[in-house]
Amino acid sequence: MGDSVSIETAAQAAALFKAALPKEQKEERVFVLPLDGNGRVLAKPILVSAGDRDGTATIDAGAIFREALKAGAEEIVVAHNHPSGDLTPSPADIAATAELDDLARRLGVVFLDHLLLGAGEDGGFLSLAETVGRE
């Protein structure tokens, strides 16, 4: 993507993630957006996992950070879609956010946010950093 695109808001990141989703959302998909230390996008959102038979995707912290570090990320935003359109974070979403934040600190990567994406282009999004907060 080059250094011309910078992420300053959750809405900007959500727009990039939504562009990476298929029009028909039948399964969850987990993405990581790698950024340099100034919030500039290093690559398009990287698909880390897709839903299994029941449509639920695993938020695998190891896979997320492997892909992010491979892209040279100093900062990351993670997102996954909720095909149902319900943006209420599950206990698993909240736990995954805490795990990602903890691992990022250990690796020296800035974890900016975990976004939940609604269905469709106008399905909205939810920032867990703004909603749940972090210590």
Side-chain angles (χ1 to χ4, degrees):
M1 292 207 67
D3 60 2
S4 60
V5 177
S6 290
I7 299 299
E8 296 177 14
T9 67
Q12 290 172 319
L16 287 177
F17 286 117
K18 283 191 169 274
L21 283 169
K23 297 276 185 234
E24 291 279 325
Q25 297 180 33
K26 296 180 180 166
E27 63 186 12
E28 287 185 354
R29 292 174 181 244
V30 178
F31 294 89
V32 62
L33 182 65
L35 307 168
D36 72 7
N38 295 312
R40 286 189 295 264
V41 176
L42 296 171
K44 291 180 182 179
I46 301 166
L47 178 64
V48 178
S49 70
D52 55 22
R53 280 184 283 187
D54 70 358
T56 304
T58 302
I59 299 176
D60 180 342
I64 288 169
F65 284 102
R66 262 192 307 282
E67 293 298 329
L69 294 172
K70 208 184 323 180
E74 295 175 57
E75 301 177 347
I76 63 168
V77 179
V78 173
H80 78 276
N81 63 316
H82 280 186
S84 68
D86 181 359
L87 293 177
T88 305
S90 70
D93 293 338
I94 294 167
T97 302
E99 179 186 4
L100 291 168
D101 191 40
D102 181 56
L103 189 51
R105 290 174 201 234
R106 293 175 193 218
L107 293 172
V109 174
V110 178
F111 174 57
L112 297 173
D113 209 340
H114 178 186
L115 304 176
L116 303 182
L117 308 171
E121 289 180 31
D122 56 352
F125 72 94
L126 178 89
S127 161
L128 284 166
E130 293 173 9
T131 305
V132 178
R134 295 193 306 256
E135 295 177 8

